[in-house]
Amino acid sequence: MIIPETKSWTWVLDTPCPDCGLDTPAVPLARIPALTRANAAAWHELLVSGGDELRNRPNPDTWSPLEYACHVRDVFVLFDERLRLMLTRDAPDFANWDQDATAIESRYTEQDPARVAADLAAAGGALADAFAAVADDQWSRTGNRSDGTVFTVESFARYFIHDPVHHLWDVTGVRAD
């Protein structure tokens, strides 16, 4: 059984991640689209070149590579939706997202890796395009997470990019630095 994630990862907005190595505060905003595309491509390669081991969990309370890939795909979709809300509404509130419940309800362990690869690539491309289209005067727009965290589009972009990079490190052990 997966132990639910309860810590807030917003600290990555202030300091480099000691695990995956991404220095989120130093990431230029103009690089977010390219980093998103590169991350999606790395997941795609992992999924299409992997075999049955994609479904194997390293231990009972850690997701398998396939489960992580499904999660990253869903993160791309969710962040695309939230970014669009931030750009079209004033200070929208974001509903809580239970990633562990989503993994169970969406049956991550049973999904086809080739389909996940294609969907992840498409979702990553769409989100990269959305970040690339953010105008200079839009980076300060805000959105509110259900725990009270207020993001600007800028902090939201930086917070976002850490998630897929960190999860690729979770699976491959390859640091971002």
Side-chain angles (χ1 to χ4, degrees):
M1 179 172 120
I2 300 295
I3 298 168
E5 178 66 67
T6 57
K7 72 178 173 179
S8 172
W9 285 82
T10 54
W11 59 266
V12 302
L13 296 172
D14 300 316
T15 188
C17 181
D19 296 327
C20 73
L22 185 66
D23 186 359
T24 306
V27 173
L29 293 174
R31 289 214 51 227
I32 299 287
L35 289 170
T36 303
R37 287 185 182 93
N39 184 270
W43 282 104
H44 187 273
E45 179 62 31
L46 185 126
L47 289 165
V48 298
S49 66
D52 290 337
E53 69 277 358
L54 290 173
R55 296 181 191 282
N56 296 337
R57 288 183 170 182
N59 57 60
D61 60 345
T62 302
W63 280 346
S64 69
L66 177 59
E67 289 170 299
Y68 272 117
C70 290
H71 169 72
V72 169
R73 174 206 55 209
D74 291 351
V75 164
F76 286 164
V77 171
L78 179 71
F79 274 71
D80 190 35
E81 292 169 359
R82 290 180 174 183
L83 175 60
R84 290 180 196 287
L85 285 173
M86 292 174 79
L87 296 175
T88 60
R89 294 189 187 161
D90 290 333
D93 293 324
F94 306 137
N96 185 47
W97 181 50
D98 186 333
Q99 62 189 15
D100 298 307
T102 300
I104 293 166
E105 292 164 8
S106 297
R107 307 176 103 157
Y108 282 180
T109 59
E110 298 173 25
Q111 293 194 23
D112 173 36
R115 178 80 254 157
V116 173
D119 292 345
L120 192 150
L127 181 55
D129 290 346
F131 275 123
V134 173
D136 288 344
D137 65 342
Q138 293 178 310
W139 290 104
S140 62
R141 293 186 61 84
T142 62
N144 309 302
R145 198 165 66 177
S146 62
D147 67 356
T149 301
V150 177
F151 286 105
T152 61
V153 172
E154 178 180 347
S155 64
F156 180 78
R158 293 180 194 283
Y159 178 79
F160 152 73
I161 199 59
H162 175 261
D163 193 81
V165 168
H166 192 95
H167 289 319
L168 194 59
W169 171 81
D170 283 329
V171 171
T172 66
V174 177
R175 288 176 50 90
D177 51 13

